[in-house]
Amino acid sequence: MSKIRKRPRKTSPKNPPQSPATATTTSWLANLLGGLILIVFLIAVIAGGWFWRYAHAPLAIERYPQEFTLEHGTSMKAAARQLAEAGIVDDPQLLSWLARFTGQAARLKAGSYELTGPTSPLQLLDKLTEGDVTLGTLTLIEGWNLRQLRAALARNPDLRHDSASLSDAELLQAVGDQSGRQLAEGMFFPDTYHFAKGSSELAVLKRAYKSLQQNLAHAWEARSANLPLSTPYEALIMASLVEKETGRPSDRSLIAAVFVNRLRIGMRLQTDPAVIYGMGEQFDGNLRKADLLADGPYNTYTRAGLPPSPIAMPGMAALHAAVNPAPSKALYFVAMGDGRSYFSETLVEHNQAVRRYQLGK
């Protein structure tokens, strides 16, 4: 029996040699891919350089200053469109892309802005996200009453007028007063207040109210002993009288002394500014004897004690004088015609001063 021989298996090599055509195709594809990558890289470099230049080059603004306002809730897309319509940017889409690329698109802050000189798109976005807003100003003058304060608010073009329709009680409640008072006179501190344009009147008034409370508290803590004033509010009323009666700053503490001395002995204050305040818009600039005889809550000729409320906004100097009167026994004073007042301890001396300085005798 003959043996059957097995044929050996043919095995193909692991890496068979490529044909010249296949090798050429592979090399061509590799070169093409490398070329495409190089082209994409060059395009990215060129685009990146162009975008960097756009971000840092000044915007093509024809004139300065440029003012604009972003309302609350304005999106980046809407803001870019608004800026394009105002002639501040040429392409709103580019500005939006830059904002998204830098992570600033969602951080816009509402307010009024002003561009005063050459500004790049990146600087513009920094301004919008940092809240670098332009400021309005409101100055409240010592001695103003609430009617004058409200008129100043109404005239201010940079404020959002949201307090004009409020009554005194509603106004006090809106600024955080919890006393239950019905009169807002004298409850705001006279000063210059800066605010972002478009701010609420109530926001500014809250600051003025808080400032008054702080300054009044400081004055009350530093008050002299044995004053005939039982509360900080009474000190505020006294300070308003001192403010309106003062023609010369150095006289404040002496005027306060006269009022304090009168309160101590139950003598009526007889201060004209309180009567004038009580007359309101009926006052025509001339205070007559009949006005002094007409009884009313602010007529300190017919009623003893302090009036029911301040008659104006007192400044810090008047607050300090009201609770720290000069060591004087004076009960009278009369205007000398040059801003100063003449102070007297007796009625006889006072009448002589009136004849001399008021009647020219």
Side-chain angles (χ1 to χ4, degrees):
M1 188 172 180
S2 61
K3 293 181 179 181
I4 299 175
R5 294 181 179 179
K6 293 182 179 181
R7 294 181 178 179
R9 292 180 180 178
K10 292 182 179 180
T11 58
S12 57
K14 292 182 179 180
N15 296 309
Q18 294 181 341
S19 66
T22 302
T24 301
T25 301
T26 302
S27 176
W28 180 83
L29 289 174
N31 291 336
L32 178 62
L33 181 60
L36 289 175
I37 292 175
L38 179 60
I39 292 172
V40 170
F41 175 75
L42 291 175
I43 291 174
V45 169
I46 294 172
W50 180 89
F51 200 56
W52 185 93
R53 183 178 179 182
Y54 163 76
H56 292 84
L59 294 162
I61 299 176
E62 294 182 358
R63 58 181 178 81
Y64 292 96
Q66 285 283 347
E67 294 184 358
F68 60 93
T69 300
L70 293 186
E71 301 294 340
H72 289 278
T74 302
S75 67
M76 184 63 238
K77 185 176 181 180
R81 187 168 56 248
Q82 177 183 335
L83 292 171
E85 292 172 354
I88 295 173
V89 299
D90 293 329
D91 192 330
Q93 188 62 57
L94 282 177
L95 187 66
S96 295
W97 284 344
L98 179 61
R100 284 196 288 269
F101 178 77
T102 57
Q104 294 172 296
R107 305 207 314 266
L108 298 185
K109 290 182 171 59
S112 296
Y113 295 87
E114 182 180 31
L115 304 179
T116 58
T119 306
S120 70
L122 196 57
Q123 289 172 327
L124 175 60
L125 289 175
D126 288 342
K127 196 176 190 70
L128 298 181
T129 55
E130 292 171 3
D132 184 14
V133 298
T134 56
L135 299 178
T137 301
L138 176 69
T139 298
L140 305 182
I141 307 297
E142 293 93 338
W144 272 6
N145 59 34
L146 188 63
R147 187 171 64 252
Q148 292 169 306
L149 185 155
R150 285 186 182 269
L153 291 173
R155 290 193 304 268
N156 196 302
D158 299 324
L159 283 169
R160 190 168 73 252
H161 304 299
D162 55 359
S163 70
S165 62
L166 300 181
S167 67
D168 276 26
E170 291 170 334
L171 183 61
L172 285 175
Q173 186 176 10
V175 298
D177 183 85
Q178 299 178 352
S179 66
R181 292 191 181 92
Q182 300 299 303
L183 299 174
E185 190 66 74
M187 299 300 290
F188 304 99
F189 190 71
D191 202 349
T192 295
Y193 297 91
H194 300 284
F195 53 87
K197 290 182 179 180
S199 294
S200 157
E201 286 177 344
L202 285 174
V204 177
L205 289 175
K206 284 180 182 178
R207 291 165 54 196
Y209 171 81
K210 184 177 180 180
S211 182
L212 184 280
Q213 296 302 312
Q214 292 173 340
N215 287 318
L216 179 58
H218 292 158
W220 184 249
E221 290 173 2
R223 69 188 183 278
S224 299
N226 302 318
L227 287 177
L229 304 171
S230 58
T231 66
Y233 189 66
E234 288 188 352
L236 181 63
I237 296 173
M238 173 68 78
S240 73
L241 299 178
V242 172
E243 187 70 71
K244 293 301 290 184
E245 282 281 18
T246 300
R248 184 179 180 181
S250 60
D251 286 345
R252 284 193 182 97
S253 61
L254 283 168
I255 290 173
V258 170
F259 290 146
V260 165
N261 291 338
R262 287 190 171 209
L263 286 177
R264 282 184 175 137
I265 64 175
M267 184 177 177
R268 293 174 185 176
L269 297 181
Q270 296 181 321
T271 172
D272 293 353
V275 179
I276 292 170
Y277 177 82
M279 295 175 65
E281 295 182 355
Q282 294 180 352
F283 180 64
D284 61 4
N286 186 19
L287 189 63
R288 301 170 178 83
K289 185 176 180 180
D291 300 324
L292 301 179
L293 296 175
D295 185 42
Y298 290 91
N299 192 332
T300 53
Y301 284 84
T302 61
R303 299 193 183 191
L306 294 167
S309 78
I311 62 172
M313 296 185 295
M316 196 65 217
L319 285 171
H320 179 77
V323 295
N324 293 280
S328 170
K329 296 180 180 180
L331 290 171
Y332 307 90
F333 64 90
V334 62
M336 297 172 64
D338 59 358
R340 296 178 298 163
S341 294
Y342 185 89
F343 296 86
S344 307
E345 294 184 13
T346 66
L347 181 58
V348 172
E349 183 184 2
H350 173 64
N351 289 335
Q352 291 174 346
V354 169
R355 287 194 293 271
R356 177 179 178 183
Y357 295 112
Q358 297 289 309
L359 304 178
K361 296 180 180 179

